Amino acid sequence: FASYYGDHMVLQRKPSGAVVWGHGELGAMVTVTLSEASGLIIMEKTAQVKGPSGTWTTVLDPMDRGGPYALMAEQGLENVTLWDIYFGDVWLCSGQSNMAMTVLQVANASQELAAAARYPYVRIFAAAPARSDVELEDLEQINLPWSIPTAENLGHGNFTYFSAVCWLLGRSLYEALGSPIGLVEVAWGGTPIEAWSSRRVLQACGLPEDTGRGKGGSSDLPWHSACFNQKPTLCFAPPLNLALSSSTSPHQHLSGPETPSVLWNAMIHPLLNMTLRGVAWYQGEANIYLNTDQYNCTFPALIADWRRAFHTGSAGQTEPLLPFGFVQLSTYRHQSADDSFARLRWHQTADLGVVPNVRMPSTFMAVAMDLGDEHSPYGSIHPRDKQNVAHRLLLGARAVAYGDKDVVFQGPYPTRAILEVTRGLLNVTYSQELICRQRDAQAFEVCCSSQASPCQWLPAPVVAVGSHMVTLALSGCRMLVLGLRYAWAEWPCEYQACPLYNPQGLPAPPFL
């Protein structure tokens, strides 16, 4: 109980009830008391310690935001008291090295670290990297127990703790909502999505599962198909390529475990009792080298699986459609001809281009392809501009998680394309007003083909940009135009200089 939570923690506020759990003597009754700082008892709950794990669980009554409170658990003559507890919104932050990058490593790091003291009601917690072949009930180790932010614990070291994206998002949420924010970091550099996925996800996507788990597998939540209780039309088609590569992530010194489910088992499963308000996810670079074209299944399946598991584990307190935000991949190699980054960005949206969508409801995305950082001391795959990433996540969180209808959180997206055959032009209509920052960039390409030959992608130069329309020249294409794509490259645009944005400064996402 004490090691899991600790003083200074944030518990989820109403309308949900926060779940509190811990260990005790088998069969014993545990009394949990929540008190004001004055000693006035707010509520009292009892729970029985049950086997075989010897754990007890109770759900607190929904609480308004605020604090401080004391939380005491008593079993017989023994008791543990936690102090300085606040109620607010709890967000889980997970992923690989771009999520693990600390505040120490980002642009304007000294300024960001100096500002930490202004946010004592944004509380932070970091699990230590761990792997397991079986689902664990407890975290093996904690890097940072619940803490009030300081320059020291926000900038502990490179890729250790605390996550810059998580901190900047949490700090911005606090400023926007005025409510305490609890941030839980669970990240490990160089890790593919398969390691963060339960056996259910792997089964749903036709990927090999790790063997030898024995007891403690995923049978407690039996899901019988890839549909995840959605309409049959939304079932995931099993991928054709089922081979599980043994390749590693590009940075060997940051490369984490790739074995399926080992991070789900050791770092996510122990947290399932938590009542959460949302999830922020920054992962995918490792899947450039591993099951890239299965990501359009594994990512939506992981989201659905985590939601179901956290909802069940929290006795229904975490909402079934737990808001889930993610960062679309940024950049890596400047002149690479490889399109695996572009494909993975597309697969991050379940091949639909924007979120939320029918396969990924209640999700939001921070486009990051215009935030490339070729001279990052941590490698170009680790851009230092995490402030813009967090700001774009914040807009999505406000709109999707908190229902703010006035927030624009997506960039412009095409709604139709009309071919003017005689003039050799293609008019692409967009959903929002357009701001063109780089007219001469060869970001648009058309698929040219005759019926007898395969697709050939050729540049389609921008001829004109209107308020909602881009006109493209098809001079290089004298055959059938079968397709159109935008920003389909590993490094599609220079820093904050993609061709198309909306007036709010959000880039148009890539599409195929």
Side-chain angles (χ1 to χ4, degrees):
F1 174 71
S3 64
Y4 233 81
Y5 282 98
D7 296 335
H8 313 304
M9 68 181 173
V10 172
L11 294 174
Q12 183 58 44
R13 61 170 169 156
K14 70 178 189 182
S16 299
V19 178
V20 179
W21 75 99
H23 293 277
E25 292 182 15
L26 199 60
M29 295 300 296
V30 174
T31 302
V32 178
T33 307
L34 184 73
S35 306
E36 291 183 348
S38 64
L40 178 67
I41 294 177
I42 303 297
M43 76 178 77
E44 190 173 280
K45 301 284 182 178
T46 58
Q48 188 170 22
V49 181
K50 299 178 180 179
S53 56
T55 57
W56 54 269
T57 304
T58 190
V59 180
L60 301 182
D61 298 336
M63 291 286 294
D64 284 319
R65 67 187 183 190
Y69 297 95
L71 190 63
M72 182 170 67
E74 294 178 277
Q75 177 193 283
L77 299 176
E78 299 179 70
N79 69 77
V80 176
T81 303
L82 307 179
W83 306 95
D84 194 39
I85 308 302
Y86 279 78
F87 287 85
D89 284 345
V90 181
W91 283 76
L92 177 73
C93 301
S94 187
Q96 56 180 112
S97 55
N98 269 302
M99 181 60 83
M101 276 183 79
T102 68
V103 182
L104 181 72
Q105 298 176 270
V106 302
N108 302 319
S110 57
Q111 183 180 335
E112 297 289 3
L113 292 171
R118 300 207 301 266
Y119 300 94
Y121 303 113
V122 181
R123 305 293 173 82
I124 56 179
F125 175 99
R131 69 185 96 187
S132 172
D133 289 334
V134 297
E135 291 178 338
L136 302 182
E137 297 299 321
D138 290 319
L139 294 173
E140 286 188 345
Q141 194 175 344
I142 293 168
N143 270 345
L144 183 69
W146 280 109
S147 303
I148 296 172
T150 65
E152 289 72 29
N153 59 29
L154 284 178
H156 180 266
N158 291 346
F159 300 103
T160 51
Y161 57 88
F162 189 76
S163 164
V165 169
C166 194
W167 165 252
L168 294 168
L169 172 62
R171 187 185 73 183
S172 300
L173 283 169
Y174 172 75
E175 290 174 339
L177 303 171
S179 174
I181 300 292
L183 301 172
V184 179
E185 179 194 342
V186 188
W188 192 333
T191 51
I193 195 170
E194 291 79 6
W196 295 99
S197 301
S198 74
R199 291 176 64 193
R200 295 180 295 272
V201 172
L202 302 169
Q203 288 170 349
C205 296
L207 291 173
E209 305 163 42
D210 192 22
T211 57
R213 277 182 174 72
K215 292 183 179 179
S218 299
S219 59
D220 56 328
L221 286 173
W223 294 1
H224 300 296
S225 75
C227 304
F228 291 100
N229 296 327
Q230 299 185 48
K231 296 177 182 177
T233 53
L234 303 184
C235 296
F236 304 130
L240 297 176
N241 175 20
L242 304 184
L244 186 63
S245 162
S246 61
S247 61
T248 58
S249 66
H251 288 71
Q252 295 294 325
H253 64 286
L254 294 177
S255 185
E258 296 178 356
T259 306
S261 302
V262 291
L263 303 184
W264 159 267
N265 291 338
M267 301 179 73
I268 300 299
H269 192 267
L271 303 177
L272 293 182
N273 288 353
M274 271 190 170
T275 309
L276 297 180
R277 187 66 183 87
V279 175
W281 173 260
Y282 196 158
Q283 190 278 333
E285 298 89 347
N287 285 98
I288 299 306
Y289 308 91
L290 180 69
N291 297 325
T292 304
D293 290 323
Q294 280 72 56
Y295 207 89
N296 61 0
C297 179
T298 49
F299 188 38
L302 176 137
I303 294 172
D305 184 66
W306 282 26
R307 284 172 169 165
R308 176 78 173 266
F310 274 100
H311 179 70
T312 302
S314 65
Q317 298 304 306
T318 296
E319 59 183 284
L321 280 180
L322 173 67
F324 198 108
F326 64 94
V327 183
Q328 194 177 48
L329 291 192
S330 184
T331 51
Y332 180 26
R333 297 164 297 194
H334 206 283
Q335 299 297 331
S336 173
D338 186 1
D339 75 340
S340 54
F341 258 68
R343 296 201 320 273
L344 198 115
R345 289 188 190 109
W346 184 241
H347 296 333
Q348 284 181 293
T349 67
D351 298 354
L352 293 171
V354 289
V355 298
N357 61 48
V358 69
R359 285 187 58 192
M360 300 172 67
S362 195
T363 61
F364 53 95
M365 173 175 73
V367 176
M369 66 180 181
D370 64 331
L371 304 179
D373 186 356
E374 192 170 11
H375 304 293
S376 170
Y378 314 106
S380 60
I381 204 168
H382 298 122
R384 287 166 290 181
D385 182 356
K386 295 298 192 272
Q387 287 88 346
N388 264 306
V389 170
H391 174 67
R392 292 169 185 179
L393 283 174
L394 169 71
L395 296 177
R398 288 177 59 190
V400 173
Y402 295 97
D404 191 336
K405 305 298 184 187
D406 298 325
V407 172
V408 177
F409 69 103
Q410 298 169 315
Y413 201 72
T415 57
R416 64 177 177 172
I418 297 178
L419 192 63
E420 290 189 53
V421 178
T422 55
R423 299 177 63 197
L425 300 176
L426 183 65
N427 294 314
V428 184
T429 303
Y430 273 81
S431 59
Q432 299 176 30
E433 183 181 344
L434 297 173
I435 304 294
C436 183
R437 293 189 185 178
Q438 200 177 25
R439 175 89 170 256
D440 57 351
Q442 292 189 343
F444 288 94
E445 298 170 285
V446 290
C447 169
C448 289
S449 177
S450 67
Q451 291 180 338
S453 65
C455 189
Q456 180 184 10
W457 288 100
L458 296 176
V462 175
V463 175
V465 179
S467 63
H468 286 77
M469 183 182 292
V470 177
T471 301
L472 307 175
L474 304 176
S475 53
C477 182
R478 307 191 185 282
M479 299 174 284
L480 297 172
V481 177
L482 298 182
L484 173 68
R485 67 188 189 186
Y486 171 75
W488 200 264
E490 191 163 309
W491 198 300
C493 36
E494 293 309 309
Y495 181 70
Q496 294 192 349
C498 281
L500 299 177
Y501 289 78
N502 64 13
Q504 291 78 20
L506 297 176
F511 69 80
L512 175 63

